[in-house]
Amino acid sequence: GEKLSYAHQWEETGLSQLQSQYKSHVIYDAAPGGKDVVVLIDMTTEKNLKVAADLIYQFKPDGSLQITITLSPSDVLAVLPRAGVTLKLPTSFQKVAYYGRGPFENYPDRKVAAHIGRYQTTVSDMWVPYEKPQANGNREDVRIVEFSSQVGQENQVFGLHKFSISSSVYDA
């Protein structure tokens, strides 16, 4: 029943209400012209479950940035919640090009009808006006996504593994 659902387990452990606290950071000189920044964060629930987050930002000499995130829960969890990264871009970045499943929204439980390919859309066109506000416009099995502006500015995101994306004109 409901008590066995992942959502119930998530609520019971307090994972839906994690509070983040910055611990420390260290900056290292990396390859010639590069820098590595290691940031340590503790996330805690009201029930004292802790999840340590190690974030490594590697600034490369070519201007690229590689981010590695490692999460370490203090207790064994029946279900590890989904973890993600939010990237906030200027509103001028409206064009979206990606290699993954599309062209329509798809999710882990219903993605086989969406074929893998290269697709182009806009942030506004990824929005789906559901009656109840919820996650929408998702794309699965993405390998690369590029957000660009009308004047040619662009940001590319590559994954070492397949990932999912969604974009919105609204803040989370």
Side-chain angles (χ1 to χ4, degrees):
E2 185 178 308
K3 289 191 176 198
L4 297 177
S5 74
Y6 290 140
H8 180 76
Q9 292 175 41
W10 188 332
E11 292 291 329
E12 282 295 306
T13 57
L15 287 169
S16 60
Q17 301 297 320
L18 280 173
Q19 298 295 316
S20 296
Q21 182 176 353
Y22 163 83
K23 283 178 52 181
S24 65
H25 75 276
V26 180
I27 301 173
Y28 298 99
D29 287 326
K35 294 275 186 198
D36 288 356
V37 179
V38 178
V39 180
L40 303 179
I41 296 172
D42 273 345
M43 296 177 284
T44 310
T45 68
E46 290 178 358
K47 298 184 179 191
N48 244 7
L49 173 69
K50 290 186 180 183
V51 179
D54 299 347
L55 296 87
I56 302 173
Y57 299 89
Q58 295 177 295
F59 296 89
K60 309 289 185 173
D62 66 1
S64 64
L65 168 65
Q66 179 176 330
I67 303 172
T68 304
I69 301 171
T70 304
L71 300 177
S72 305
S74 62
D75 294 332
V76 175
L77 301 176
V79 59
L80 185 62
R82 179 176 69 166
V85 175
T86 300
L87 174 65
K88 188 169 183 174
L89 295 171
T91 56
S92 60
F93 286 80
Q94 284 296 307
K95 294 193 244 175
V96 182
Y98 67 96
Y99 182 77
R101 291 192 181 269
F104 46 84
E105 75 171 340
N106 54 88
Y107 295 88
D109 61 342
R110 56 180 200 87
K111 65 182 181 181
V112 291
H115 298 287
I116 293 177
R118 180 137 175 91
Y119 298 98
Q120 293 186 0
T121 186
T122 64
V123 171
S124 298
D125 286 343
M126 289 181 76
W127 173 255
V128 179
Y130 291 119
E131 188 172 317
K132 178 183 172 188
Q134 59 189 339
N136 71 82
N138 196 67
R139 305 301 195 270
E140 285 291 319
D141 295 339
V142 174
R143 280 99 165 154
I144 181 174
V145 61
E146 178 182 292
F147 295 94
S148 57
S149 69
Q150 295 291 346
V151 294
Q153 296 172 309
E154 62 183 40
N155 282 302
Q156 291 183 338
V157 178
F158 297 85
L160 297 177
H161 305 283
K162 294 181 277 189
F163 57 97
S164 63
I165 62 162
S166 60
S167 62
S168 175
V169 296
Y170 302 104
D171 287 341

